[in-house]
Amino acid sequence: MYQVVPGGAGGTITDVIPKQKHTKDTRPLVGAGVIGLLLVIAAVTAWCYYIASLRKAELLKTQLLDLNKDGYIIRNQGGSIVFRMDFRSGTLDLDSCSKEEEILRCGRTTDRKLKFFIKTVRPKDTVQCYRVRWEELVPDIPVEHAMTYKFAHWYGGAVSAIQHWPISLSGQQAPKPFVTSDIYSNRDEFGGILESYWLSSNATAIKINNSVPFHLGWNDTEKTMYFQARYHDTPFKPNLGEAPCAELSYRVCVGSDVTSIHKYMVRRYFNKPYKVPAKVMFEHPLWSTWALHKRDIDQEKLLMYAANIRKYSFNCSHLELDDRYTKHYGDFEFDPVKFPNASEMFQKLKSDGFLVSLWIHPFVNYDSENFHNLVERGLFVREPTGRLPALVHWWNGIGGILDFTNPEARDWFASQLRSLRSKYGVSSFKFDAGETNYLPWKFSTKNHIRDPSFFTRRYTEMALHYNDRAELRSGYQSQNISCFFRPIDRDSLWGYELGLKSLIPTVLTISILGYQFILPDMIGGNAYLNHTSGERALPDKELYIRWLELSAFMPSMQFSIPPWEYGNEVVEIARKYTAIHESIVAPRVLELAGEVLDTGDPIIRPLWWIATGDETAYKIDSQFLIGDDLMVAPVLEPGKQERDIYLPAGHWRSYKGERFDIKEALHLTDYPVDLDEIAYFVWV
C-alpha cells in the first residue's frame, strides 16, 4: 500500500512513503514529544507574559515612583523607599492604565469605573513632586488611601490636646472630618489651628488639596494614617448642583533634606502674612485679666490691675479686658453695674499709658438685646433647611452664631467693633472661638461652603483691620492674617496634655503650618482649681517660674496671673526675664518676622532645622531654635535644677560664657540650671 501525499493544486506526487503501524515500543516516544511540545508552548507563553508584565511594569513607573494595583511607592535619589501609599478604595485594573509623557492614567478598579492619575513634576533639581488624584464617578463612595508612616518621623497636621513632637498617634481611629475644633472642651478632636499638610524626617511632604472633603484616621499598630474623601455622613458638602462624588487629590514632594523640602512647600502652597504686627507686641508683655479674675472682672479690679503693673515697674504692650464686661453675651456695651463709668475708666487708663483690647466672640445668646434683631435679619448660621436660625451651645450658654459667609453679618459685626473703638478708644480685640465644632453637624449658610473649616477662615478675616495687636486662637488657610495666633488655653500643669510640656511641641507645630506670629498662652496657664498643680487656685510657684522663663524666649509674652501674687522673689525673676525678652529675644524675632513676609520660614524652629542629618535632633521636643543661631533648653520637670541638653555640631557659647566648638553633636548630661535660670546657647 502506498499513500499519496498531496502537492500543489494539480495534486502532483512529491514523495512516496510506506505506511507503518505504531508499535507499543514507539508510543512513549510520541507521548514524550507531545509533552515536550506542550512544555515549549507553555514556556513561550510564560515568556510572552513575562515580557508583557515587564512592559506593563515599565509603563507603571515614573521618576522614582512605582505603581501597582494596590498602591505605589516612592524612592529617593539613593533608591531607598521614603513613601508608601496603599489604595483602600479598590484595586486598580492595570490593563486600564496608560501613560502619556509624565501622566499615568487608569480608568477602572476591578468592579467600577473611575478617574485616577499620577502626574510627575520636577520643579527643581533637588525636588521631585507627584500630583495624585482618585475621582469616583459614583455618588457617596468614599475614596481612601493609607499612608505608611513607619519610614520616618512626621510633623504637622493640627494642634491637639496631647501634643507631641514628632507626631505620636495611639490606638485606632476611623477617618473623621479634619476640621477645626475647640480641643479644650473636645480633647479627642483636631485643634483650632489646622492645615492638611505633613512633613517627614526623610524629606517627604504631603499636601492635601483644599477642595477635598478630607477625613483623617489612623492605626498605630499598622503605623498607617488613613486619608479619606467622602460626602456621606459628614459636614462636608459638594458644590451646588454637583453630585456627591468624592475626589481625593494631593501632592507628594520629595527633597534632599527636610528643611529644604519644607521651604519649598511653604513658598509654593502657603499664604504669607502681608505685614508684621506692632513692634511693641514683640518687645513688651501683654497683660490679660482672665486667669486672675475670670468672669468677676469689674471697673475697680481692672484699674487696680493696671496700677499694679506700673507699681511693680513692668512694661505693657496693651491691657486685655477679658470675659464678662457686658451684661449678656452678644451685647456690645459695657455692663453699667460692673463698669459704671466706662468712658472715664478708658480715659484714666489712656492717661496712665495703657492701650486696652477687648475679648470678643462670634456668639449672640438668646437673652441678648441683639438676638431678636439678628434673627429677623437672618444673620445667624441656620439649620439645614435654611428657614430657621440654628441654636448652638457654647461654653457660656445658648444662642446663635453669626454667619460670617454673609456680607451683611460681617458688616454688622464690624460695625460693633468700630463703635467700641470710636466710643472708648479700644485698641484691638481678642477674637475667641471660631472653631467649626460650634456649628451644627448639618448647617446652612448664606453663601455655600464645601469645607466647614472655611467658616473659621471667614471669622479670622474679621481681625484684618486690627492686626497690629489682634489675637486669634483659630486658623485655617489664615496665614496671611497678620495677627498673633494663640494656642488654646493651657491648664496649670506640667504635662503634655495642655500643660507646660505641650507648649514647645504646639508652637513648633503651628510654626510648621505657617503661623509665625505666635502668642503663647498665659504664663502659668488658666489656673482652674481642678486643673492646677498647687495647693490653691494659683499655679505651683515652681511651675509658674519655669513657664515664665520659657515664655521669655517666645515671640511674645502674656501675663495674666501677675508675678506679685507670689511675692518679691518672683517679681524680680519676672523683671529679669522681661528684660531678657526685650534685649535679646525681641530683636532677633523682629528681624525674622520681617523675613517671614517673603519666605514663610518659621521664627521658632526645631533642632533638625540646622541638623538635617542628625537622627536624634528629629525626636527632641524640649528644645528649640530662634532662627538658626539661638538655641533654648528650658527645664520642664518639677523639682529639677538640671537637665540633659543636646547641642548640634557647631560653635556655641552658653549663657554662662562657656564655649563649645564641636564637630559632632554633644550630649550635656545633668547640665546645672538653677530655678531662676533657663539654658540658652548662641551660635558664635
Side-chain angles (χ1 to χ4, degrees):
M1 293 285 295
Y2 296 93
Q3 181 178 2
V4 177
V5 179
T12 306
I13 298 174
T14 57
D15 204 353
V16 178
I17 304 175
K19 186 176 182 180
Q20 299 179 355
K21 292 184 178 180
H22 293 294
T23 65
K24 291 182 179 180
D25 293 334
T26 63
R27 288 175 183 170
L29 294 176
V30 174
V34 171
I35 293 172
L37 179 61
L38 292 174
L39 289 174
V40 169
I41 294 171
V44 171
T45 302
W47 176 256
C48 291
Y49 275 113
Y50 175 67
I51 294 299
S53 66
L54 286 179
R55 289 174 179 169
K56 177 62 71 175
E58 196 62 32
L59 170 68
L60 300 182
K61 286 184 178 180
T62 65
Q63 296 179 37
L64 305 178
L65 179 145
D66 294 343
L67 175 70
N68 59 56
K69 61 186 178 64
D70 299 311
Y72 62 90
I73 62 172
I74 297 174
R75 303 177 188 273
N76 61 16
Q77 296 289 349
S80 300
I81 295 176
V82 294
F83 190 84
R84 192 183 83 195
M85 189 71 88
D86 299 322
F87 303 141
R88 292 169 58 92
S89 309
T91 301
L92 285 181
D93 178 356
L94 298 185
D95 288 334
S96 72
C97 299
S98 61
K99 189 174 181 182
E100 301 172 8
E101 296 181 348
E102 302 300 328
I103 301 178
L104 200 161
R105 301 179 188 273
C106 304
R108 289 195 307 272
T109 63
T110 53
D111 64 352
R112 65 187 183 278
K113 291 183 178 181
L114 55 85
K115 292 181 180 179
F116 173 82
F117 80 75
I118 296 179
K119 180 178 181 180
T120 305
V121 183
R122 194 173 182 83
K124 54 191 299 188
D125 290 342
T126 57
V127 176
Q128 178 71 53
C129 291
Y130 309 90
R131 289 179 55 205
V132 183
R133 186 177 76 189
W134 181 304
E135 181 182 356
E136 287 292 343
L137 301 179
V138 179
D140 293 326
I141 293 182
V143 185
E144 187 173 308
H145 292 180
M147 184 191 81
T148 302
Y149 61 82
K150 66 182 179 180
F151 297 116
H153 306 292
W154 285 85
Y155 314 90
V159 295
S160 58
I162 301 175
Q163 194 83 52
H164 292 285
W165 179 270
I167 293 170
S168 177
L169 300 173
S170 60
Q172 300 180 28
Q173 172 62 57
K176 59 182 179 179
F178 191 68
V179 295
T180 59
S181 184
D182 174 354
I183 52 174
Y184 197 84
S185 56
N186 302 275
R187 300 205 174 191
D188 292 330
E189 299 301 318
F190 305 113
I193 298 177
L194 166 151
E195 302 292 335
S196 53
Y197 168 74
W198 289 267
L199 175 73
S200 83
S201 58
N202 62 15
T204 306
I206 182 167
K207 177 69 177 71
I208 310 296
N209 286 4
N210 294 332
S211 60
V212 171
F214 183 58
H215 297 64
L216 178 67
W218 59 84
N219 184 326
D220 189 45
T221 302
E222 298 176 356
K223 303 298 179 188
T224 299
M225 293 173 68
Y226 304 133
F227 296 152
Q228 186 188 81
R230 77 168 192 261
Y231 288 112
H232 175 67
D233 189 29
T234 174
F236 289 91
K237 306 169 187 175
N239 284 331
L240 295 175
E242 288 185 359
C245 295
E247 174 190 307
L248 180 59
S249 53
Y250 53 89
R251 289 166 170 80
V252 183
C253 292
V254 180
S256 56
D257 64 78
V258 61
T259 301
S260 63
I261 192 63
H262 178 66
K263 284 173 174 280
Y264 169 78
M265 297 297 285
V266 167
R267 284 156 175 74
R268 187 168 181 84
Y269 299 117
F270 284 9
N271 296 320
K272 309 293 185 304
Y274 68 92
K275 63 174 289 187
V276 176
K279 180 180 178 183
V280 70
M281 281 287 290
F282 296 94
E283 296 174 328
H284 298 159
L286 178 160
W287 296 77
S288 170
T289 62
W290 171 250
L292 182 64
H293 294 297
K294 302 295 192 296
R295 297 180 184 89
D296 294 330
I297 189 65
D298 59 30
Q299 183 169 322
E300 182 181 355
K301 290 175 181 176
L302 179 62
L303 290 172
M304 180 59 69
Y305 192 53
N308 280 330
I309 294 171
R310 291 289 181 250
K311 175 183 175 181
Y312 289 97
S313 303
F314 286 101
N315 288 321
C316 175
S317 64
H318 67 266
L319 185 61
E320 188 174 81
L321 175 55
D322 213 286
D323 194 352
R324 210 53 196 252
Y325 56 88
T326 61
K327 187 175 182 180
H328 303 105
Y329 293 106
D331 295 348
F332 285 85
E333 187 51 79
F334 281 83
D335 183 340
V337 175
K338 298 177 74 174
F339 295 87
N341 298 296
S343 295
E344 292 181 12
M345 179 188 73
F346 274 90
Q347 290 173 5
K348 168 64 175 170
L349 290 169
K350 183 178 180 181
S351 66
D352 290 340
F354 288 98
L355 296 175
V356 181
S357 68
L358 297 179
W359 173 80
I360 55 168
H361 52 82
F363 308 102
V364 179
N365 280 8
Y366 66 89
D367 57 355
S368 168
E369 63 180 21
N370 291 316
F371 182 80
H372 180 74
N373 175 47
L374 295 173
V375 169
E376 290 293 319
R377 296 172 63 181
L379 302 189
F380 288 133
V381 172
R382 300 182 296 278
E383 45 78 43
T385 67
R387 292 192 296 267
L388 296 172
L391 289 180
V392 300
H393 186 273
W394 63 296
W395 68 90
N396 277 331
I398 297 174
I401 183 168
L402 287 164
D403 180 1
F404 291 100
T405 75
N406 185 343
E408 189 178 350
R410 292 161 64 89
D411 289 344
W412 181 86
F413 188 73
S415 71
Q416 306 306 308
L417 304 189
R418 287 195 302 269
S419 177
L420 286 168
R421 170 175 270 189
S422 173
K423 187 172 182 179
Y424 299 107
V426 173
S427 66
S428 193
F429 298 93
K430 172 184 178 178
F431 292 80
D432 213 354
E435 300 90 352
T436 64
N437 67 291
Y438 291 109
L439 299 171
W441 176 252
K442 297 291 185 180
F443 63 91
S444 173
T445 52
K446 177 71 172 180
N447 289 316
H448 180 81
I449 53 175
R450 298 177 59 177
D451 182 346
S453 292
F454 196 71
F455 180 86
T456 298
R457 162 70 195 187
R458 283 290 184 231
Y459 178 58
T460 61
E461 290 171 350
M462 301 308 299
L464 278 168
H465 295 294
Y466 306 96
N467 49 40
D468 273 354
R469 288 180 171 82
E471 171 188 334
L472 289 157
R473 85 170 195 191
S474 57
Y476 175 68
Q477 300 177 37
S478 305
Q479 297 94 338
N480 66 316
I481 311 296
S482 298
C483 300
F484 279 89
F485 285 83
R486 174 181 64 89
I488 202 166
D489 306 39
R490 307 285 113 174
D491 287 326
S492 301
L493 303 170
W494 290 92
Y496 284 103
E497 184 173 349
L498 296 177
L500 177 60
K501 285 185 180 178
S502 72
L503 196 55
I504 295 174
T506 299
V507 170
L508 289 174
T509 298
I510 293 171
S511 297
I512 288 297
L513 297 180
Y515 298 88
Q516 310 309 341
F517 306 140
I518 300 171
L519 175 67
D521 193 41
M522 297 165 286
I523 292 168
N526 252 330
Y528 288 127
L529 186 59
N530 57 339
H531 293 285
T532 301
S533 292
E535 297 179 357
R536 54 192 183 125
L538 286 180
D540 176 73
K541 175 181 174 181
E542 181 187 9
L543 173 66
Y544 183 88
I545 292 172
R546 293 305 192 191
W547 207 307
L548 164 63
E549 293 163 353
L550 171 55
S551 293
F553 285 83
M554 290 290 165
S556 56
M557 299 179 71
Q558 182 178 188
F559 284 105
S560 190
I561 297 170
W564 52 83
E565 291 288 318
Y566 294 93
N568 289 334
E569 178 191 9
V570 177
V571 168
E572 290 303 318
I573 294 173
R575 286 176 181 153
K576 171 184 175 180
Y577 280 98
T578 54
I580 287 175
H581 179 81
E582 182 177 357
S583 62
I584 296 176
V585 179
R588 279 180 167 81
V589 169
L590 281 165
E591 181 180 355
L592 293 164
E595 296 174 5
V596 166
L597 308 185
D598 295 322
T599 67
D601 289 348
I603 293 174
I604 304 298
R605 301 173 181 177
L607 258 60
W608 51 251
W609 192 266
I610 61 168
T612 57
D614 189 337
E615 171 64 20
T616 302
Y618 289 111
K619 297 177 286 185
I620 291 178
D621 66 353
S622 63
Q623 298 175 222
F624 61 93
L625 295 163
I626 302 174
D628 289 344
D629 62 354
L630 178 56
M631 195 273 289
V632 186
V635 173
L636 304 174
E637 299 279 352
K640 297 288 186 180
Q641 295 198 28
E642 70 282 326
R643 65 155 291 164
D644 294 344
I645 295 174
Y646 189 75
L647 273 182
H651 307 280
W652 300 96
R653 183 180 68 246
S654 79
Y655 68 106
K656 299 177 181 179
E658 305 152 309
R659 283 289 298 261
F660 298 90
D661 297 305
I662 48 178
K663 295 182 179 179
E664 295 181 354
L666 176 66
H667 287 271
L668 301 176
T669 305
D670 293 333
Y671 186 82
V673 186
D674 291 342
L675 180 59
D676 65 342
E677 293 181 327
I678 183 172
Y680 62 93
F681 300 77
V682 177
W683 183 274
V684 181

